[in-house]
Amino acid sequence: MRIDILCLFPEMFASPFEQSIVKRAKERAIIDIVVHNIRDHTHDKHRTVDDYSCGGGPGMLLKPEPIFEAVEAIKEQTNPGEIPIILLTPQGRLFTQQVARELASCSHLMLVCGHYEGVDERVREHLATDEISIGDYVLSGGELAAMVVVDAIARLLPGALGSQVSLNSDSHNDGLLEYPQYTRPKTYRGWSVPSVLLSGNHGEIALWRRREAILRTAKQRPDLLRKATLSTEERKWISESLSSQK
Ligand code: SAM
């Protein structure tokens, strides 16, 4: 998979993309990440990328020309066909695990990072094919949002993780939060690992984990349960747990 990132601060990506799973995915040629400076697509001597907001108001907006030209140059060099061009913006659709899966199935993506007050509206209207927000808060620029999106995608790509199995139990994979996990020592400061996890009984362990995942989701994120597929028995676990808390 190839991801082109268009931004004003390419240096920000150096360290995050040289660590851990993203680094490994790059080394294994599972992902190719190319970061472009929007400023390289300006034509004036000051390499101007921003300008005042028409109609007045505080702050500066990214001009459309360098962004359009950067996208067109990448398309010419790579794939002139349809590539998702994703504008990172707090006004976009919310980035979730489902959206990460959707994007991980693409062979090529472009991420456009805004800065300052944002980008000229014509980029959204006539260039972007999608708009993504990583949450209901405002960052100073799209660079951090792009890092979040790339990291979430990279770990979904086959071969990026040590074990693909760990994806299955991850929070948000099937609409639930993950069950609690423990490692050694068996007892720490008097707090013991639940005995079922040390029993060696895989059936019991799977049942315990499923129940804990459901009860944890009901407690921490009840909103997620609306979309989760639960059996009648599993729904009963929730009502029993709720009534025992009263
Ligand atoms: N004035 C804009 C607004 O109110 O919608 C916010 C601009 S923000 C200060 C600058 C840039 O940061 C945006 O253009 C966008 O690329 C990025 N950004 C900020 N918050 C974001 C979020 N929650 N998700 C994705 N990108 C974000």
Side-chain angles (χ1 to χ4, degrees):
M1 172 179 203
R2 172 171 170 145
I3 303 182
D4 287 278
I5 300 173
L6 285 68
C7 66
L8 283 191
F9 298 97
E11 304 79 20
M12 284 179 72
F13 293 89
S15 175
F17 287 172
E18 284 311 318
Q19 321 288 334
S20 185
I21 287 163
V22 175
K23 179 183 183 201
R24 192 163 65 197
K26 281 169 56 188
E27 286 171 351
R28 292 180 179 171
I30 292 167
I31 197 166
D32 183 18
I33 306 166
V34 189
V35 184
H36 307 263
N37 192 336
I38 294 169
R39 221 175 269 284
D40 291 341
H41 297 268
T42 53
H43 303 290
D44 64 315
K45 85 170 184 220
H46 299 293
R47 306 180 80 210
T48 310
V49 288
D50 57 341
D51 210 333
Y52 296 103
S53 179
C54 296
M60 304 293 274
L61 280 181
L62 293 194
K63 290 161 66 60
E65 312 95 297
I67 300 178
F68 272 83
E69 287 183 31
V71 166
E72 284 155 8
I74 296 165
K75 276 188 156 189
E76 246 169 59
Q77 288 160 15
T78 56
N79 174 0
E82 286 297 300
I83 307 171
I85 300 166
I86 301 170
L87 179 64
L88 292 156
T89 160
Q91 304 177 17
R93 64 181 173 133
L94 204 58
F95 188 59
T96 61
Q97 190 66 12
Q98 196 180 328
V99 177
R101 271 197 298 268
E102 180 195 312
L103 300 182
S105 70
C106 300
S107 58
H108 190 181
L109 290 179
M110 285 196 219
L111 301 177
V112 180
C113 306
H115 220 92
Y116 312 125
E117 267 307 299
V119 301
D120 183 286
E121 184 67 8
R122 288 163 288 191
V123 171
R124 190 187 72 76
E125 285 176 336
H126 304 294
L127 185 66
T129 60
D130 197 356
E131 296 165 64
I132 285 182
S133 163
I134 63 159
D136 290 341
Y137 41 79
V138 176
L139 301 164
S140 311
E143 289 82 358
L144 288 171
M147 289 176 210
V148 168
V149 169
V150 169
D151 187 279
I153 291 174
R155 65 196 305 285
L156 293 175
L157 298 175
L161 285 188
S163 159
Q164 288 297 111
V165 177
S166 60
L167 290 177
N168 300 338
S169 63
D170 269 347
S171 297
H172 305 292
N173 180 55
D174 61 356
L176 296 176
L177 302 181
E178 192 178 45
Y179 47 78
Q181 300 205 72
Y182 299 82
T183 182
R184 288 181 290 182
K186 287 180 189 169
T187 301
Y188 176 65
R189 297 190 175 188
W191 302 308
S192 295
V193 174
S195 57
V196 62
L197 297 178
L198 305 171
S199 68
N201 183 330
H202 296 298
E204 286 291 316
I205 293 171
L207 185 66
W208 183 88
R209 285 179 165 168
R210 175 78 183 162
R211 187 181 149 90
E212 289 296 318
I214 291 169
L215 295 185
R216 172 162 289 194
T217 311
K219 182 162 182 265
Q220 312 268 75
R221 290 290 305 275
D223 56 303
L224 296 179
L225 285 177
R226 265 181 265 126
K227 287 191 195 152
T229 312
L230 301 183
S231 68
T232 315
E233 173 70 9
E234 290 170 341
R235 297 232 169 248
K236 216 167 112 196
W237 292 342
I238 300 172
S239 45
E240 282 168 1
S241 161
L242 291 177
S243 54
S244 75
Q245 284 164 23
K246 280 181 191 158

